[in-house]
Each structure stands twice: as C-alpha cells, then as structure tokens.
Amino acid sequence: MAWSDMDPDFSTDSLTAQWLSDVEIPLANKFYRSHNFRGKARRHDPCLVIRDGKNQIIACGSLRKLTDSQLLTGVAVAENHRGRGVARLLLEHMAEACDDHTFTFPYQHLVPFYESLGYAEVSEIGLPSAIIDRFHTYQKQGRDIVLMHFQRRL
C-alpha cells in the first residue's frame, strides 16, 4: 500500500495502548496470524497491543519471561500502519515494564530505531545463558539480528 493510499487524517493521538490480560492473549496471537507474523504471545508474559480508533489491534509486542531476564519479542505492526510512529508508541509504552534485565534481538537495519528507544548493542560476555542460547538459535536460522540490552534513560 502506498503512502498516498493511507488515511491522511491518521494520528497516533487516536491510538490506545493496552496490556492484555491472560485471557486476552489469544487476541494477540490472532493478530500475528492474520498479518503473517511468526510471533506468538504466551499466557503470563506481559503483552501490549496498540488499537486504532475502531478498537482494532494494529500492533503488538510481548516480554518473554525467562529465569533471570526477559526478552522483548513479537514486535509487529500491521503493514498499513508502518512508518507512522506506531512501533515507537508501542515500545515507549512497553518500556514501563522493561528493566536492566531486558534484552531484544532486532534485525540489523532496525538498530538505530532501537537505540533511539534506549537499547544498546552488547557483547555476549557475561549475559544470561537463556538470552545467549536463544540469540544463537535465531542466528542459525539465518536471521540478520543484533543482541541489544535495554538501558533506562535518566
């Protein structure tokens, strides 16, 4: 869809952010499936969605709880809402639940975007094995990803 085909009156002001309850998690997974994303939200893991003015989910992300850390996963924005600040809005709201034990594996081309939101590239040295093991698994799948760590801004 071309930019000119999009709603010219679109504004992130009309969007709402909502943490899903455990019983609402299937709504996130329906969003992933309907937009052909490989993400999957799990019950008991914090999951945030962005809804449009019609209450439709247009973006989603979750924090996978691990033993000694958490992993930001499943960040996805519906194709017709990309490039309009929706991902930034999603991740800014998700930062409320992020701490010094939060990591993510964005694609290489998204590093500047994640840096603008408080993430920094880190080496694997001294990191939790649950993070390193997952990172290596995704790399072996051929994903061009980077290991990043959340750093709360002062």
Side-chain angles (χ1 to χ4, degrees):
M1 177 178 288
W3 180 261
S4 59
D5 296 334
M6 294 184 198
D7 180 359
D9 298 325
F10 178 85
S11 166
T12 56
D13 294 342
S14 66
L15 305 180
T16 56
Q18 175 197 4
W19 289 102
L20 298 180
S21 68
D22 285 351
V23 297
E24 294 172 310
I25 294 295
L27 296 173
N29 291 323
K30 181 180 177 184
F31 167 79
Y32 288 134
R33 281 190 310 276
S34 68
H35 292 280
N36 298 314
F37 293 117
R38 63 171 114 197
K40 181 157 175 55
R42 299 188 317 187
R43 290 187 193 274
H44 311 299
D45 283 343
C47 182
L48 187 87
V49 296
I50 301 293
R51 294 179 184 268
D52 64 13
K54 297 175 185 169
N55 208 34
Q56 298 297 308
I57 295 174
I58 61 167
C60 186
S62 65
L63 291 165
R64 176 91 13 109
K65 296 289 188 186
L66 305 172
T67 304
D68 48 7
S69 56
Q70 63 182 356
L71 184 62
L72 173 65
T73 65
V75 174
V77 176
E79 187 173 355
N80 61 336
H81 286 88
R82 293 182 190 157
R84 305 169 110 191
V86 176
R88 180 170 299 281
L89 181 68
L90 175 76
L91 292 172
E92 286 172 348
H93 279 278
M94 291 190 79
E96 300 166 6
C98 295
D99 59 23
D100 291 344
H101 304 286
T102 304
F103 298 87
T104 193
F105 312 143
Y107 289 103
Q108 180 71 45
H109 72 279
L110 294 172
V111 167
F113 172 68
Y114 278 84
E115 287 175 337
S116 76
L117 291 162
Y119 287 85
E121 286 188 64
V122 291
S123 74
E124 299 176 17
I125 299 170
L127 295 184
S129 60
I131 295 295
I132 300 305
D133 293 347
R134 278 178 174 75
F135 182 68
H136 288 163
T137 297
Y138 296 151
Q139 278 186 318
K140 287 176 187 169
Q141 294 171 353
R143 300 183 196 183
D144 184 20
I145 56 174
V146 175
L147 176 55
M148 297 189 86
H149 179 232
F150 180 76
Q151 299 176 342
R152 185 158 309 278
R153 295 179 179 163
L154 302 174

